[in-house]
Amino acid sequence: MASIDECCILIPVSTLEDFPKHAGEQDARSLLAAWTVLWHPELVAASQQTPTWYRADSPPDLGAGRRVIVVPTLSVSQLPADFEANCRANEAIQWITGADRRELLDSLGLSKSPRSLQTEQRTIQAEDFFALGYAMLQIQVMTRRLRYTSNLDEIHFQNKLVTAADAFVAGNAGECVAALHDCYDALAEERDHYFSSDPHLVDLTLLSKSTLPAFFTALQNDHDDSGDESSDSAAAATSLLATPRNVLIDASMASEIAASHREDLDRLVSQLNCGNWGWAGGGLAGDVSLDAMTYSDTENAIAQAYEATANQIGLRPPVYARYSGTTPTDMTKVIASLGVDGMISVDFENGSGFGDEAKVVRNTGGVEIHALTAKPIDASGESAFLALGPRLGEAIDSGEIATGLLVHWPGYESDSYRDVRRVASWSLVLGRFWTLAEYFRSGEQPYHHDPSGAASSGADTALVSQVTGGQSNALSSMVTQTQKSIANQNHANLQAMIALATGKVCDGSADGCEQSMLASIGLKPSQHGGNLCLINPTPCPVRYTVAIDGTAVKEEHIYAVTGSGKQSMVTVDVPAFGFSVARNEAGGGSRGRSIGQRLRDAVAGGGKLCAVDGMLQNAFIEIAIDPQTGGVKGGYSGQARGNRFSMRLVGVSGTQKKKSTENESQMVCDQMKTIVAKAERGVIRTIGHFTNPKGEKIGAFELDYQVTRGNRMLDVHGKIDVLAKLEGNPWQHYFAARCAVANEAVSYRMILRDKMHRTSSRRIVAPLGVLLDESDRHTLVASAGLAYHRRVEDRFLDTLLHVQGETQRQFTMHYGFDLPSPLLAARSVVSEPLQAAVDTVSPEASRGWLIHAAPNTVLVADVDCSQDREGKFFAVVRLIQSQSQTCNTTVRFCRNVTAAVRLDNRRLHDADTLASRLQEKSESPGVEFSDDRIKLSLAGHEVVDVLVQFDA
């Protein structure tokens, strides 16, 4: 190539400090390509100097001499008038423009026959010079942007650069490598003047079913090219630094890989074992909603997905990660129990889960795990690479762990991404590439704690994705999943109750368990309805009204009794994990109430009615129904006077201005009537329609409001028919049940995975409901699986009932007032006690419990019973502190306790292993036991598994 006096780029800023941080993808690609292409060794050899830059609005004079001027697209609009025309008219000027590096090389005539030099350690190409140019740009911009003074010996750097270029052109590989090393070392020394620590770089490949072939091709190429030169030992011997890649393989992708060709799987395992590739994974697929599950179901789902991944790949993932969906912080203990080195908390599909810190400590219940929370960098594009160096430098300067998480799909890689990888093979000037396992084991250790909450990040956006993606019944499917999860847990608890009562493990169907439960507590089934046993296999005490034949015996667990024809309506208190029997005065027979008894009840009036003149009432609450709208116009409860609660249905279309109802529907009541008005229950039904702001009818509703005796809850059973078509974002276009409280200083607590968490989010995902906590009272919205709630202003809460694609028209809501345990109450509305007619029962055997926990903030979530070969009887009891405060708890059983210890991992032990574990930890502190009880301390939101051995 003929000699050149100068190679320069015209940049669209006045100084390097102002080099663009952000630009569109096309502009960024052109700008970075224009900068690096001038570092081609033939251009450097021809000009015998380092490429330079000028301001686009102040270009160099077109004097004598040959020049190569490269103009990126961002600079064109800033050029002086006629400058481009003058350059093109000047034969000594080579005017170069292009959209990317390939176009620029074509314009320069340098792409037709690319050269390469081979040494024992590496292959030298023009791309190594491009990478040097990119590194030079990033270090110089970083230095100036952080207000440091450059210490780079530019003359020395230029001499070594020209030496490397001349050697490359002459084909002298050894001299070229030595000179390039000197150039990279000079830049590293420049950076080390300010930062002695090296940034961390993590190259992460994402997978999908469609990209697997490209991924396997990349593995094949790495396998063919690696030999020994990519291994860490070889890197140390040859100065070729390792630049490992990583891949994310969740449970769904693991099954796809396992179903592929065996040689592809073997090659993957080989690359993982030799360290050329690292990996993370084991996470659940994106269609699994953790927020709809109990804590135990969530734990099981996470563990099963992880184990399935390990079995299909043949290796255990060293780092836990999901491609779609985040793993909330309250599952830290579960993730740590998998034995991983760390976790990635980012939801790559929905673009959430990252934070201000790149690496943080997650700590829940005394268990710690480190999490990678860096914002992903799109390695398939150029925009993020405009300021990669300054970004990492700023992180180091502020004391953070500088981490660049470079994310891309197989085969989708930008030129700048390749430049960064090539730079890292020469020097640590821009950082070191890590496998994910080594990043957590040997990288810098974090000291900042994860500030994110228990709710899954992006759970609200998941609803948007489902609805706009065409999925039907996004709301009602969550209801079904939530109710199924709790039903499964109740069945398991019923089996545990039978086992505790009999001392033998129970494993049967629901019907069989009911009969076994009666037998275990000494009751016999009956064909008559005189005595009715209510069995409660939940951790929540309940008050329930049933009908029995004849006159009920008034006992301590009978809250109230009224007559109803030949039957008595009995309101029974049933303890958690226990039973209560409503007994007939006549014993076990089904003899009905006598005419005299019925006449006496009629004269006495039968007690206060629960429904009177549009008002529902009992001893605790009064609810006024609005005859104009069909909603609740007033709720009265507690010592404070005045209206504390209202509720109505509302249709919302589009975003709204604050305190504006211009996009909201109105309820119009066409009919209101009392359906039931008895002492034990009151029901008022309203039927009406919705109108939009124009007065047009857009739907209809039917609501049954119910209050039962002795209950602090208002039950709402409804049906809506929507005439208007709902389309678009479900958080902006929906029908909802809107409740309001009186105090604007209300705080919101969501019930999620058996715990209560304070939240300030406007969009709340909580299947069991939300607590509206005022200073002197609280109101529970128990949604029974309706998971999506939206705060409107400060004191209104919308619970979504209908969105695009929803076909379920019926719903059930519950509103509780000043409940002793809101979380237990929210769980109790999802299921009802089991009922069975039984023979004559003595007063002493008419009520009992098998497990009792105090205080009521502690939830006995699961009880798994087992026996070893020697007949010893054990139970693993899971306790969850639902509040954020530390507490001392006592749990009593129907059997005496002979030993009790905390258990680290409940999933990995059979009965014989549990027995040996109990012996090993017999002296471990933390759990006291005596007689029929255990005592221990629980931290806020802590989940503890206790291994208990009972008397035979």
Side-chain angles (χ1 to χ4, degrees):
M1 177 179 285
S3 64
I4 302 172
D5 291 298
E6 186 179 66
C7 294
C8 65
I9 176 178
L10 305 183
I11 61 175
V13 291
S14 57
T15 66
L16 280 182
E17 180 183 341
D18 301 321
F19 196 83
K21 299 179 183 178
H22 310 287
E25 188 57 39
Q26 293 181 349
D27 289 333
R29 185 181 300 111
S30 176
L31 180 58
L32 290 174
W35 181 279
T36 55
V37 76
L38 291 177
W39 292 67
H40 193 287
E42 294 195 27
L43 293 177
V44 174
S47 63
Q48 291 292 293
Q49 60 181 319
T50 305
T52 189
W53 63 271
Y54 295 94
R55 294 170 47 170
D57 59 357
S58 182
D61 293 332
L62 301 180
R66 290 171 50 81
R67 274 197 176 94
V68 174
I69 301 178
V70 180
V71 184
T73 55
L74 271 176
S75 301
V76 173
S77 62
Q78 299 185 23
L79 295 173
D82 299 330
F83 181 76
E84 179 179 351
N86 293 336
C87 287
R88 292 186 181 276
N90 191 332
E91 294 182 356
I93 304 297
Q94 194 171 0
W95 182 267
I96 304 297
T97 58
D100 55 29
R101 186 179 292 172
R102 177 56 55 194
E103 286 190 15
L104 295 173
L105 288 173
D106 288 341
S107 299
L108 288 164
L110 296 173
S111 62
K112 294 181 180 179
S113 55
R115 300 186 56 184
S116 64
L117 303 179
Q118 188 65 48
T119 69
E120 294 181 1
Q121 295 83 24
R122 64 163 77 234
T123 300
I124 311 300
Q125 298 173 309
E127 282 75 8
D128 293 285
F129 289 83
F130 298 153
L132 179 61
Y134 177 80
M136 172 69 163
L137 170 67
Q138 295 300 308
I139 295 302
Q140 291 300 301
V141 173
M142 180 191 73
T143 300
R144 288 159 175 77
R145 195 163 287 165
L146 297 180
R147 300 295 191 270
Y148 292 110
T149 301
S150 176
N151 288 281
L152 180 66
D153 187 340
E154 296 182 3
I155 295 176
H156 169 74
F157 181 84
Q158 179 172 278
N159 290 338
K160 292 300 179 181
L161 173 62
V162 171
T163 300
D166 288 341
F168 182 87
V169 173
N172 189 334
E175 185 179 356
C176 179
V177 168
L180 279 175
H181 267 301
D182 289 339
C183 290
Y184 280 107
D185 289 346
L187 293 179
E189 290 175 7
E190 164 79 340
R191 195 215 66 186
D192 287 345
H193 278 293
Y194 325 118
F195 312 120
S196 58
S197 61
D198 300 318
H200 300 70
L201 299 174
V202 177
D203 183 350
L204 182 61
T205 300
L206 305 179
L207 297 180
S208 68
K209 187 175 181 179
S210 62
T211 62
L212 271 182
F215 172 65
F216 290 139
T217 299
L219 283 180
Q220 177 68 53
N221 294 337
D222 283 355
H223 185 267
D224 293 342
D225 296 341
S226 60
D228 292 330
E229 68 180 25
S230 295
S231 67
D232 290 336
S233 60
T238 64
S239 76
L240 176 63
L241 302 180
T243 55
R245 303 173 187 263
N246 297 274
V247 62
L248 194 156
I249 305 174
D250 61 14
S252 59
M253 285 313 305
S255 62
E256 295 288 344
I257 293 174
S260 62
H261 295 297
R262 182 67 194 181
E263 57 267 23
D264 289 329
L265 176 59
D266 291 343
R267 191 176 296 115
L268 170 63
V269 173
S270 173
Q271 291 290 310
L272 294 176
N273 283 329
C274 75
N276 291 339
W277 283 76
W279 72 305
L284 293 155
D287 57 352
V288 179
S289 175
L290 300 181
D291 290 339
M293 301 180 184
T294 63
Y295 182 94
S296 297
D297 282 349
T298 304
E299 176 189 47
N300 292 336
I302 290 173
Q304 289 169 8
Y306 182 85
E307 295 300 331
T309 302
N311 292 334
Q312 289 163 336
I313 301 301
L315 297 171
R316 297 181 68 82
V319 175
Y320 179 85
R322 300 176 70 185
Y323 164 66
S324 178
T326 56
T327 303
T329 56
D330 64 336
M331 302 311 296
T332 297
K333 182 178 180 180
V334 177
I335 303 301
S337 71
L338 300 175
V340 295
D341 297 311
M343 65 176 292
I344 301 175
S345 66
V346 180
D347 179 350
F348 294 99
E349 182 176 43
N350 297 306
S352 61
F354 52 83
D356 295 332
E357 303 287 340
K359 193 177 186 181
V360 296
V361 178
R362 281 193 167 192
N363 188 326
T364 302
V367 177
E368 262 187 19
I369 192 170
H370 294 171
L372 174 58
T373 57
K375 184 177 181 179
I377 297 171
D378 181 7
S380 65
E382 299 281 355
S383 181
F385 291 92
L386 286 170
L388 177 63
R391 172 181 167 181
L392 296 174
E394 288 166 1
I396 297 175
D397 196 42
S398 60
E400 301 172 15
I401 300 176
T403 302
L405 178 58
L406 310 179
V407 179
H408 61 95
W409 298 99
Y412 292 85
E413 302 170 352
S414 67
D415 288 334
S416 294
Y417 157 79
R418 297 189 188 97
D419 289 343
V420 172
R421 288 189 56 83
R422 204 168 279 264
V423 169
S425 72
W426 287 93
S427 167
L428 302 181
V429 58
L430 292 182
R432 171 186 170 183
F433 278 89
W434 297 76
T435 63
L436 281 163
E438 287 301 314
Y439 174 75
F440 285 104
R441 293 170 189 164
S442 306
E444 288 186 66
Q445 301 304 299
Y447 54 89
H448 291 292
H449 286 256
D450 190 354
S452 59
S456 298
S457 176
D460 58 331
T461 61
L463 175 63
V464 179
S465 300
Q466 293 171 14
V467 171
T468 57
Q471 179 175 327
S472 60
N473 296 322
L475 304 184
S476 57
S477 62
M478 184 74 87
V479 175
T480 302
Q481 185 177 347
T482 301
Q483 294 179 350
K484 181 180 178 181
S485 180
I486 291 183
N488 291 338
Q489 191 175 43
N490 291 345
H491 177 62
N493 288 340
L494 181 61
Q495 293 177 327
M497 290 171 64
I498 297 169
L500 285 170
T502 62
K504 297 179 180 179
V505 176
C506 172
D507 184 14
S509 64
D511 293 337
C513 284
E514 184 176 320
Q515 299 303 315
S516 298
M517 182 66 205
L518 291 176
S520 69
I521 56 179
L523 301 180
K524 296 180 179 180
S526 172
Q527 299 299 319
H528 306 292
N531 299 308
L532 194 65
C533 179
L534 282 76
I535 303 170
N536 180 16
T538 76
C540 327
V542 295
R543 177 169 288 170
Y544 199 71
T545 299
V546 295
I548 66 169
D549 293 340
T551 302
V553 178
K554 295 184 179 179
E555 302 178 85
E556 184 180 355
H557 60 274
I558 304 299
Y559 175 76
V561 179
T562 53
S564 178
K566 293 184 178 182
Q567 293 182 321
S568 293
M569 303 304 297
V570 189
T571 302
V572 187
D573 289 330
V574 189
F577 295 107
F579 65 95
S580 294
V581 180
R583 297 192 305 125
N584 188 322
E585 286 182 350
S590 59
R591 182 169 59 86
R593 298 169 68 247
S594 67
I595 295 178
Q597 288 171 326
R598 282 180 269 171
L599 287 174
R600 286 192 296 272
D601 284 346
V603 172
K608 186 177 180 181
L609 300 181
C610 287
V612 179
D613 298 329
M615 180 79 74
L616 295 169
Q617 59 187 5
N618 62 22
F620 301 106
I621 59 175
E622 292 183 355
I623 303 296
I625 308 302
D626 190 343
Q628 303 299 318
T629 66
V632 176
K633 68 178 179 181
Y636 308 88
S637 177
Q639 297 180 352
R641 293 188 176 184
N643 185 2
R644 60 174 289 181
F645 173 82
S646 65
M647 193 279 290
R648 66 185 176 96
L649 302 183
V650 60
V652 174
S653 178
T655 56
Q656 301 155 264
K657 297 179 181 178
K658 191 174 182 181
K659 298 184 178 180
S660 171
T661 59
E662 61 184 13
N663 294 326
E664 295 180 358
S665 69
Q666 298 296 320
M667 288 178 69
V668 178
C669 183
D670 300 323
Q671 182 182 4
M672 185 175 99
K673 57 183 178 181
T674 300
I675 303 299
V676 179
K678 296 183 178 180
E680 69 275 3
R681 186 168 74 105
V683 178
I684 295 177
R685 175 174 296 167
T686 62
I687 301 174
H689 62 274
F690 302 102
T691 60
N692 62 18
K694 297 180 181 179
E696 300 168 339
K697 183 177 179 180
I698 59 172
F701 65 85
E702 180 180 308
L703 298 174
D704 284 353
Y705 299 99
Q706 173 179 277
V707 166
T708 56
R709 178 171 53 197
N711 201 322
R712 293 178 178 270
M713 283 235 189
L714 167 66
D715 305 319
V716 182
H717 307 278
K719 180 176 69 174
I720 59 174
D721 292 308
V722 178
L723 303 179
K725 189 175 183 180
L726 292 177
E727 291 182 336
N729 190 328
W731 292 103
Q732 298 177 359
H733 302 270
Y734 60 82
F735 278 82
R738 173 174 294 178
C739 69
V741 294
N743 193 344
E744 291 189 355
V746 61
S747 62
Y748 291 79
R749 301 176 187 272
M750 61 182 177
I751 302 173
L752 196 61
R753 285 182 294 279
D754 303 323
K755 301 174 186 176
M756 300 196 67
H757 303 274
R758 188 183 298 272
T759 180
S760 59
S761 174
R762 286 286 169 183
R763 298 176 178 179
I764 303 171
V765 181
L768 290 181
V770 180
L771 184 71
L772 283 63
D773 191 0
E774 301 174 77
S775 59
D776 55 348
R777 59 196 180 192
H778 58 256
T779 303
L780 172 67
V781 180
S783 54
L786 289 166
Y788 301 101
H789 313 267
R790 176 174 175 261
R791 290 176 57 187
V792 181
E793 299 180 26
D794 294 323
R795 59 189 187 92
F796 299 95
L797 182 72
D798 286 0
T799 300
L800 274 58
L801 306 175
H802 186 84
V803 296
Q804 175 186 333
E806 185 64 46
T807 61
Q808 177 60 255
R809 297 292 185 259
Q810 297 181 339
F811 66 91
T812 299
M813 293 285 297
H814 308 269
Y815 298 94
F817 305 93
D818 303 327
L819 295 159
S821 178
L823 184 142
L824 295 181
R827 286 179 60 103
S828 70
V829 302
V830 179
S831 58
E832 297 179 350
L834 304 175
Q835 300 180 34
V838 294
D839 278 347
T840 303
V841 181
S842 66
E844 295 79 12
S846 63
R847 188 190 189 199
W849 50 259
L850 292 88
I851 306 172
H852 175 74
N856 61 10
T857 60
V858 175
L859 180 74
V860 181
D862 294 281
V863 182
D864 296 331
C865 298
S866 58
Q867 277 182 299
D868 67 2
R869 285 173 291 186
E870 298 178 1
K872 295 178 182 177
F873 185 58
F874 304 94
V876 178
V877 182
R878 167 157 291 175
L879 305 176
I880 300 178
Q881 163 60 327
S882 62
Q883 303 284 356
S884 58
Q885 296 83 18
T886 298
C887 74
N888 295 317
T889 185
T890 300
V891 184
R892 298 183 62 189
F893 303 92
C894 61
R895 290 177 169 272
N896 281 343
V897 178
T898 59
V901 296
R902 287 183 179 236
L903 197 62
D904 297 330
N905 192 334
R906 67 183 289 147
R907 301 187 310 277
L908 305 180
H909 309 290
D910 56 23
D912 294 318
T913 308
L914 289 175
S916 60
R917 184 60 58 93
L918 194 63
Q919 181 122 20
E920 292 170 8
K921 293 193 170 185
S922 58
E923 302 299 324
S924 65
V927 182
E928 300 176 10
F929 61 91
S930 62
D931 299 329
D932 64 349
R933 69 197 65 197
I934 61 173
K935 296 181 180 181
L936 66 159
S937 178
L938 295 179
H941 288 161
E942 186 176 8
V943 180
V944 172
D945 293 315
V946 182
L947 173 58
V948 183
Q949 181 179 341
F950 297 101
D951 279 343

